[in-house]
Amino acid sequence: MPVRSSRFVRHGWAGLVASVLPATLLVGAAAAATPLSGEKAAFPPFDVATFSGQLFWLAITFGALYWLMSTVALPRVGAILEERAATISRDLDNAAQMQAKAEDTAKAYESALTEARKNAQAIAQASRDAGAKASDERRHAVEAELSAKLAQAEATIATTKTSAMTNVAGLGSEVAIAIVTKLTGQAPSASEASEAVDQVLARG
């Protein structure tokens, strides 16, 4: 863009000025040589005699403005637009990278959460199994202890019952001898009294 404008300024505008300038000078000279009449002068921008000068300065002004725009303003605007486009593209790339990182982080979090749930379930199951095993062991120990105490109590009861039955048999023999002696006046023998008591106890 600047190269084309500079060429145009060097060649196009120079040719235009070179062609317009002699005609402008001639028209100006002719206007100066013409005597003033009594007619009222026209509004300067609408005066036909000044058209050539106006066109000349219009061409000069347009060329200067075109040169300024093409060499100063437009390159700056283009640089600003390019910088803004680069900034927008860079921001979009950064946003895409951040979104990809966020998605990766979310996937890693979900994976870690799933693994943690599995580990928690395994730990809970292991705790339940350990608790059940310990409970079974305590229950077996208590049952064994109760069985031992029950056997000991049964043995004690049997011993006590045997001792009590022996005492009852002896006491019964004595009571039977005393009763028979009192009723008949004759004392039975100890073996007879013991045999009679045993028969009664056997019958229940």
Side-chain angles (χ1 to χ4, degrees):
M1 183 69 178
V3 174
R4 293 179 59 187
S5 63
S6 60
R7 288 178 181 177
F8 183 77
V9 169
R10 285 198 303 270
H11 300 288
W13 291 113
L16 180 62
V17 171
S19 61
V20 172
L21 183 58
T24 304
L25 294 176
L26 291 175
V27 171
T34 303
L36 295 175
S37 61
E39 297 180 357
K40 186 177 180 181
F43 185 60
F46 299 150
D47 191 359
V48 178
T50 62
F51 277 0
S52 58
Q54 294 179 21
L55 292 175
F56 172 74
W57 289 112
L58 176 63
I60 295 296
T61 305
F62 180 79
L65 290 176
Y66 184 84
W67 180 80
L68 289 174
M69 291 294 294
S70 61
T71 58
V72 179
L74 291 179
R76 291 183 181 179
V77 173
I80 292 172
L81 292 177
E82 291 178 359
E83 182 179 0
R84 181 172 296 179
T87 303
I88 293 173
S89 178
R90 184 172 59 252
D91 292 341
L92 290 176
D93 293 338
N94 292 333
Q97 293 178 0
M98 293 178 65
Q99 184 177 2
K101 289 181 180 179
E103 291 177 355
D104 294 338
T105 303
K107 291 179 180 179
Y109 174 76
E110 292 294 336
S111 178
L113 184 59
T114 303
E115 188 67 22
R117 288 175 179 173
K118 291 181 180 179
N119 293 334
Q121 292 177 358
I123 292 172
Q125 185 63 35
S127 300
R128 287 194 295 268
D129 294 340
K133 184 178 180 180
S135 179
D136 291 339
E137 291 178 353
R138 287 195 299 270
R139 181 172 58 81
H140 290 313
V142 171
E143 289 178 353
E145 185 179 358
L146 291 177
S147 297
K149 289 182 179 180
L150 181 60
Q152 184 179 1
E154 289 177 350
T156 302
I157 290 172
T159 302
T160 303
K161 183 178 180 181
T162 302
S163 177
M165 292 303 293
T166 302
N167 294 331
V168 168
L171 183 59
S173 298
E174 294 177 359
V175 171
I177 292 171
I179 292 173
V180 171
T181 300
K182 188 175 182 179
L183 292 175
T184 61
Q186 295 180 355
S189 63
S191 60
E192 293 176 347
S194 178
E195 183 179 356
V197 172
D198 291 337
Q199 292 178 358
V200 174
L201 290 175
R203 288 196 299 267

